[in-house]
Amino acid sequence: MTTIAILGSGFGLYGYLPALAGPCGRQVVLPERYRDRLARRPELTSYADRVIWAKDEHAALQAASGVVLAQCPQRQSEWLATCLEQPGLEYLILEKPLAPSPEAARTWHTKLAASGKVVRIAYVLRFLNWVAGLRDYLRQPDSGRLAIRWQFMAHHFRNQVVTWKRDHDQGGGAIRFYGIHLIALLAEMGYSSVAEVSECEQVEEGVRRWRAVFAGPDIPNCDVEVDSCADKSRFSVVGHPGSPRSLHLEQPDPFTGGGETNRPGLPDSRVGVLARFCESAWSDPRKLQDFYRPTIELWSRLEQAVHAQRSCAA
């Protein structure tokens, strides 16, 4: 059985541990210093018998055949260098964004492709039920223009928290941390360019809100807005009138469970989709997904378009 080390005592514990030890049925290796934090999470106690304890992170990697890096982008890059030197690690399950910037992500993608290891990056929207309707819509001839809106109040804005998740340079913000989910989904579906950036709201640390139109061959343009400091939570996917088949989805967030909200004592709402994502490492024979590199390129083109729009505005 594949044994997976988890490096990351936040989402690694309350997200990936129940996904791997529960639906995926995997043995998990954790560094000893996570033990107290795990004991303080009552919703995780039922997974304790699936955990092997290791002296530290390095010992955990040596005891496993795969690893989850539930780290910030910079720390993920540091651990990736170590993981690629471990011949016993066959599976690398990585968080998004892959690196703090598109340029750094390109470099890592090249190294991962050459490594021969099975790599999965947590672009998890593709595993959600609503995405099937979007795929069907895009397969229709003469589909009308699409609009995707994701509006919410990020935890760090609501609670005035200083964190990398709000810092563009560290891989945070409305493009690199949140928007990358939609960028990856659009890249997989054939979107390859940015036709227009109509809005971009900046704060000191980086982008808080943006709106852009994506384009691709033989598919309708897609108007996307991501607002990480909105008064209300709302996620919608709408096929504009004129298409032969309508598309209208509206729910609180893309994950249908409250985004990054994690109420004490209750399982995280994203465990199910995380399990489907992790399981793809064993069920899909491809080492890397084909859309990983196009995701980086579309991400880079969006940032270039945002920069150009800001330069024109100045």
Side-chain angles (χ1 to χ4, degrees):
M1 177 184 294
T2 307
T3 302
I4 307 295
I6 296 176
L7 302 192
S9 60
F11 194 48
L13 287 185
Y14 66 79
Y16 282 101
L17 173 60
L20 287 166
C24 292
R26 306 290 164 173
Q27 197 83 44
V28 173
V29 187
L30 297 177
E32 180 65 36
R33 68 187 185 90
Y34 295 1
R35 191 187 289 267
D36 288 345
R37 181 165 288 195
L38 178 60
R40 294 196 297 269
R41 304 291 299 237
E43 75 276 20
L44 302 179
T45 56
S46 61
Y47 305 109
D49 62 347
R50 306 290 300 175
V51 174
I52 299 170
W53 294 101
K55 177 183 177 182
D56 55 24
E57 285 86 347
H58 292 281
L61 293 178
Q62 292 171 1
S65 53
V67 62
V68 168
L69 295 182
Q71 305 273 352
C72 70
Q74 186 57 50
R75 287 289 289 158
Q76 174 161 273
S77 293
E78 293 166 4
W79 277 113
L80 259 181
T82 299
C83 292
L84 290 179
E85 295 174 353
Q86 297 282 336
L89 288 177
E90 302 175 58
Y91 303 93
L92 305 180
I93 297 175
L94 310 177
E95 263 300 318
K96 52 79 202 165
L98 176 59
S101 68
E103 296 75 21
R106 275 196 202 97
T107 299
W108 277 116
H109 183 274
T110 299
K111 292 179 180 180
L112 292 170
S115 72
K117 298 181 186 295
V118 176
V119 177
R120 292 294 179 267
I121 305 171
Y123 305 131
V124 299
L125 295 190
R126 65 194 303 262
F127 298 98
L128 294 168
N129 292 335
W130 62 263
V131 174
L134 178 57
R135 294 186 195 279
D136 288 344
Y137 181 81
L138 290 176
R139 281 194 287 263
Q140 299 177 82
D142 304 319
S143 298
R145 181 164 165 165
L146 278 171
I148 300 178
R149 300 282 181 266
W150 186 11
Q151 300 161 333
F152 60 99
M153 180 68 72
H155 174 79
H156 49 260
F157 288 132
R158 185 185 302 112
N159 297 284
Q160 296 301 306
V161 175
V162 177
T163 171
W164 70 267
K165 293 180 181 180
R166 65 191 292 166
D167 190 334
H168 182 78
D169 290 341
Q170 296 186 64
I175 294 178
R176 294 182 171 183
F177 184 66
Y178 297 107
I180 195 68
H181 274 301
L182 293 173
I183 293 167
L185 186 64
L186 293 177
E188 182 183 1
M189 294 186 174
Y191 289 89
S192 56
S193 64
V194 179
E196 175 190 0
V197 171
S198 57
E199 297 178 58
C200 182
E201 183 179 343
Q202 302 279 127
V203 290
E204 184 178 353
E205 305 94 333
V207 179
R208 181 167 68 180
R209 175 178 178 269
W210 59 273
R211 183 173 177 180
V213 177
F214 294 87
D218 303 318
I219 46 178
N221 283 2
C222 185
D223 185 347
V224 176
E225 178 190 3
V226 176
D227 185 350
S228 65
C229 195
D231 293 334
K232 295 182 179 180
S233 293
R234 176 177 177 262
F235 178 75
S236 64
V237 182
V238 178
H240 282 212
S243 68
R245 182 178 173 186
S246 63
L247 174 66
H248 189 101
L249 168 80
E250 188 163 339
Q251 56 193 40
D253 62 82
F255 312 97
T256 70
E260 58 183 350
T261 300
N262 184 41
R263 295 165 58 190
L266 295 177
D268 189 273
S269 60
R270 294 161 291 182
V271 168
V273 69
L274 279 178
R276 293 192 288 276
F277 157 64
C278 290
E279 193 62 39
S280 72
W282 301 285
S283 62
D284 187 331
R286 287 173 290 185
K287 301 287 187 179
L288 277 75
Q289 298 287 358
D290 296 339
F291 68 91
Y292 285 175
R293 186 58 183 252
T295 293
I296 297 170
E297 300 310 321
L298 190 58
W299 172 18
S300 178
R301 287 166 190 146
L302 174 61
E303 294 207 357
Q304 290 170 8
V306 165
H307 179 75
Q309 190 245 24
R310 288 169 56 199
S311 297
C312 291

